[in-house]
Amino acid sequence: MTNRSIAKLESAPLERPSGRSARVGEAVTKATLELLSEEGYSEITLEKVAERASVNRATLYRRWHSKPRLVASAMLAFMHKNAPSPDTGSVREDLLKLMLALNDFIVTPLSISFFQVMGVEARKDPDVAEAVSEFWENRFKFTRELIDRGVKRGELKPVPDNDVLIEQIFGPFYLRVLRKGSALSKAEATEQIDRILGNYFVE
């Protein structure tokens, strides 16, 4: 995730990384994430964020214009900073660490707000949609590289389409967690990865 994709959601890009603009951005991001965790997407307002961040309400309206753009900006900054990027030397362990990290996050109150922005608000604002799309592309790019490392190390046979394999691994995971609202155990996550990768492991 780049600063450009986040800045497109703002009317005041971060030209001064160490200046007041950056400090305001950090305070607002922190306040937004806290309120999302405490109250959820439907309950927070720009007024509440401004009060929590100790900034002028007009600043938020001038810079982000709307709650979806503000939440998307905070969401992308959070995920860029916290997205897991394991490199253990084992493709199986890398995928397991990635799935378990997502597993821990996806059942938190914060993730519910994130999925609302990704699935609903992104359809209403092209800048939100573009930033969310870039985020997913970056995560797919990392996971493609993770799989390619496994092929180069001789752990996996050549994979015809990395994206299809990624969807096969993580698609059922998302469906299971979203449908049941419960986390996977490590054994269940391992079983899911082994079931999909079984045909590609080099014996």
Side-chain angles (χ1 to χ4, degrees):
M1 180 58 57
T2 63
N3 285 339
R4 178 178 300 177
S5 63
I6 296 175
K8 286 193 71 174
L9 297 168
E10 306 178 26
S11 296
L14 304 182
E15 300 96 343
R16 299 176 294 164
S18 60
R20 180 180 180 279
S21 179
R23 291 195 297 272
V24 169
E26 290 169 1
V28 170
T29 294
K30 181 175 182 291
T32 302
L33 294 172
E34 288 174 352
L35 287 166
L36 286 172
S37 295
E38 295 168 10
E39 301 185 8
Y41 180 80
S42 62
E43 296 300 320
I44 73 166
T45 63
L46 267 64
E47 288 79 3
K48 289 182 179 180
V49 173
E51 181 178 1
R52 177 72 63 96
S54 298
V55 301
N56 192 297
R57 181 178 62 180
T59 299
L60 270 68
Y61 281 100
R62 182 170 60 250
R63 185 160 168 176
W64 286 279
H65 302 303
S66 68
K67 181 171 76 170
R69 295 173 71 88
L70 171 63
V71 171
S73 177
M75 173 190 75
L76 295 171
F78 172 87
M79 298 183 96
H80 175 58
K81 181 179 180 180
N82 294 280
S85 301
D87 187 0
T88 65
S90 163
V91 65
R92 185 172 180 267
E93 287 301 312
D94 285 348
L95 286 169
L96 181 59
K97 283 183 176 293
L98 185 59
M99 184 173 286
L100 290 176
L102 291 171
N103 188 50
D104 289 342
F105 173 71
I106 204 172
V107 295
T108 65
L110 189 59
S111 73
I112 297 172
S113 297
F114 285 8
F115 276 105
Q116 186 166 355
V117 171
M118 288 181 172
V120 179
E121 302 299 347
R123 299 179 182 179
K124 303 176 184 178
D125 187 317
D127 287 336
V128 174
E130 182 179 342
V132 170
S133 177
E134 184 179 337
F135 165 78
W136 281 117
E137 175 55 30
N138 286 343
R139 296 314 300 164
F140 263 74
K141 180 176 182 292
F142 166 77
T143 313
R144 290 185 205 113
E145 292 170 352
L146 184 159
I147 293 169
D148 287 340
R149 290 198 302 266
V151 173
K152 290 178 181 178
R153 287 193 299 258
E155 298 175 78
L156 298 177
K157 301 172 186 177
V159 176
D161 190 324
N162 282 359
D163 284 4
V164 171
L165 182 60
I166 293 167
E167 291 171 358
Q168 289 174 340
I169 292 171
F170 289 98
F173 157 75
Y174 279 112
L175 181 60
R176 151 69 192 270
V177 175
L178 292 174
R179 181 171 66 89
K180 294 189 174 182
S182 60
L184 296 173
S185 67
K186 184 175 181 179
E188 289 172 324
T190 301
E191 180 184 358
Q192 167 68 10
I193 291 169
D194 286 347
R195 182 168 59 250
I196 302 301
L197 286 185
N199 293 329
Y200 294 100
F201 281 126
V202 175
E203 299 179 359

